[in-house]
């Protein structure tokens, strides 16, 4: 689970298992025992958080 810490400060595309998808910047990855809580600011400027166990795809986006 430490691998998600590598995404902090980076722009990412994330698709969740419930088929929602987000693009934005990872603000923080919090360790919550056996899970990690990932907090992002999405492309609309909204703060979004979800657990790493909900993620089906995460990709770092290329810098513009």
């Amino acid at each position: 689970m430490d691998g998600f810490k590598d995404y902090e400060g980076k722009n990412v595309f994330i698709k969740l298992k419930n088929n929602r998808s987000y693009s934005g910047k990872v603000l923080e990855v919090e360790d919550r025992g056996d899970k990690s809580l990932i907090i992002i600011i999405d492309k609309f400027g909204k703060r979004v958080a979800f657990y790493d166990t909900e993620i089906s795809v995460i990709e770092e986006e290329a810098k513009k």
Side-chain angles (χ1 to χ4, degrees):
M1 277 180 274
D2 290 339
F4 287 102
K5 278 276 194 196
D6 293 341
Y7 289 104
E8 280 186 342
K10 296 182 179 175
N11 290 321
V12 295
F13 168 78
I14 296 172
K15 186 167 184 177
L16 302 180
K17 292 177 182 174
N18 65 7
N19 286 327
R20 286 188 177 230
S21 57
Y22 298 95
S23 290
K25 186 173 186 174
V26 178
L27 295 179
E28 187 176 358
V29 178
E30 295 179 6
D31 185 25
R32 297 282 175 106
D34 62 340
K35 298 180 189 175
S36 292
L37 183 67
I38 296 145
I39 303 166
I40 69 167
I41 292 289
D42 73 5
K43 64 183 178 184
F44 302 109
K46 301 287 184 185
R47 191 177 177 104
V48 183
F50 38 82
Y51 287 104
D52 60 344
T53 55
E54 299 177 73
I55 296 172
S56 64
V57 175
I58 185 168
E59 297 175 349
E60 186 176 345
E61 292 185 333
K63 293 190 180 200
K64 296 177 183 178

